[in-house]
Amino acid sequence: LSSGINAEYGNHEMVECVIGQLDELERDDGVSLVMMEGAGGKAFCAGGDIVNLGNMDRENQMHHRVKTFSKPIVSLGAGIVMGGGMGLCCNSRYRVATPRSLFAMPETKIGFYPDAGATYFLSQLGDVGMWLALTGTRIRGADALHLGFVTHFTEQMEDLRAGILECQSEGELVECLDSFHPTTVPDFTFQSDLLEISKCFSAPSMLEIRDRLAASDSEFAVNASKTLAAMSPIALCIAHRTQLLSRSLNFTECLRLECQIAGPTFALGEFAEGVRALLVEKDNNPRWNPGTLEEVTEEMVDAVFAGDASWQPL
């Protein structure tokens, strides 16, 4: 028997619902696998309710529960898969995308840093992960496969879904997923940009990343420069350091780091300003403080990483 989780991402009730249902499903010997999918067809999950945030400690316990669940979880990443939704998907054992899937971790746009386990799954990609973490670039389904965000790709999601619901074991699930996976998929969209990504986003600081991009006249560099210029300077510095640190951490340690810096990051006020400018008043004119990368000191960033590191998984 396969089972689906029914919950809406983005609030305390949803987090408790997922944790509670996973506990029940793990105890149920009649359940062999779990399927997660979005409701309504437009999105797997477009992220959390960032205007009314829940408890990040508890949310990361949920992500850890998904990642370490004893039975296979398959996430059907159709449509928009962003923010916390990308965390739910990427932390599942099996992940499926379609040509219409759209993946992104856009937190820096609102004065925050990629979380929900993104410190782990983005940092595993090195310079490419750094580029995605800082710019929030949107990735299509085939690209998500190339980057390892998903394990499978299909143009027949409804038929695949029906097949999954008939599976009685992990072996049957893998066979089903493989049967809908095409022999060829579209090339990686950003293949021609990989050298530029490595050249620019391997820099040891945000200032140098900015300067390396500014020194290039490639279309990629020009667009990336424009994107970063609109974002909170200190949030970029926090995201940059987080990605560097996470490269040497395991999944649990990455979740702990995310929780450690959450309170100090919220206290900066950048997240509140980003939400105001982009989502509440929608004037699209955030007044970041500090206003430039030059004004962000090492001491400011150090203070963020001096937060409480006591988070533990369930």
Side-chain angles (χ1 to χ4, degrees), residues 25-43:
L25 294 170
E26 193 161 46
R27 292 191 297 266
D28 189 339
D29 292 336
V31 173
S32 55
L33 61 96
V34 175
M35 182 178 71
M36 292 198 291
E37 62 179 338
K42 289 186 178 181

Side-chain angles (χ1 to χ4, degrees), residues 204-224:
S205 70
M206 271 309 308
L207 273 172
E208 190 165 344
I209 288 175
R210 184 200 63 185
D211 292 345
R212 290 186 187 183
L213 288 169
S216 173
D217 60 359
S218 72
E219 181 180 1
F220 168 84
V222 170
N223 289 336

Side-chain angles (χ1 to χ4, degrees), residues 105 110 121 152 154 157 162 166 174 191 201-202 213 299 314:
M105 295 299 295
I110 52 171
F121 59 75
H152 293 81
T154 186
M157 186 66 94
E166 297 297 321
V174 172
Q191 185 66 39
F201 286 88
S202 62
L213 288 169
E299 290 75 17
L314 293 170

Side-chain angles (χ1 to χ4, degrees), residues 34-254:
V34 175
M35 182 178 71
M36 292 198 291
E37 62 179 338
K42 289 186 178 181
F44 170 75
C45 177
D49 179 3
I50 58 179
V51 177
N52 300 292
L53 283 177
N55 184 306
M56 180 178 282
D57 284 6
R58 192 63 169 162
E59 186 174 331
N60 273 10
Q61 288 178 333
M62 174 191 69
H63 286 298
H64 189 274
R65 193 80 174 88
V66 169
K67 180 77 169 180
T68 61
F69 195 63
S70 62
K71 299 176 182 181
I73 296 178
V74 55
S75 284
L76 306 186
I80 299 172
V81 188
M82 292 188 183
M86 188 167 173
L88 276 178
C89 182
C90 290
N91 295 330
S92 303
R93 191 179 305 180
Y94 300 101
R95 295 90 61 193
V96 188
T98 77
R100 292 166 295 283
S101 298
L102 196 62
F103 290 74
M105 295 299 295
E107 286 77 7
T108 52
K109 189 175 182 181
I110 52 171
F112 205 60
Y113 54 88
D115 58 348
T119 47
Y120 182 78
F121 59 75
L122 290 183
S123 66
Q124 302 304 299
L125 298 176
D127 300 334
V128 172
M130 182 68 77
W131 161 60
L132 294 173
L134 297 177
T135 64
T137 299
R138 296 181 175 190
I139 298 296
R140 286 290 180 186
D143 293 332
L145 178 69
H146 287 297
L147 292 173
F149 295 150
V150 297
T151 58
H152 293 81
F153 179 81
T154 186
E155 297 181 2
Q156 302 170 277
M157 186 66 94
E158 286 303 313
D159 291 338
L160 171 61
R161 180 185 185 280
I164 290 173
L165 292 176
E166 297 297 321
C167 293
Q168 300 296 318
S169 67
E170 184 168 8
E172 290 183 11
L173 172 63
V174 172
E175 184 176 346
C176 178
L177 291 170
D178 289 346
S179 71
F180 284 93
H181 188 80
T183 55
T184 60
V185 297
D187 293 336
F188 183 49
T189 303
F190 301 94
Q191 185 66 39
S192 61
D193 298 318
L194 289 178
L195 288 178
E196 192 83 324
I197 290 172
S198 180
K199 174 185 174 182
C200 297
F201 286 88
S202 62
S205 70
M206 271 309 308
L207 273 172
E208 190 165 344
I209 288 175
R210 184 200 63 185
D211 292 345
R212 290 186 187 183
L213 288 169
S216 173
D217 60 359
S218 72
E219 181 180 1
F220 168 84
V222 170
N223 289 336
S225 293
K226 183 178 179 181
T227 296
L228 294 178
M231 295 178 173
S232 161
I234 194 168
L236 288 174
C237 292
I238 292 168
H240 180 263
R241 183 182 292 190
T242 302
Q243 285 296 305
L244 290 179
L245 290 174
S246 296
R247 292 176 183 178
S248 61
L249 303 179
N250 62 34
F251 182 72
T252 300
E253 292 167 337
C254 284

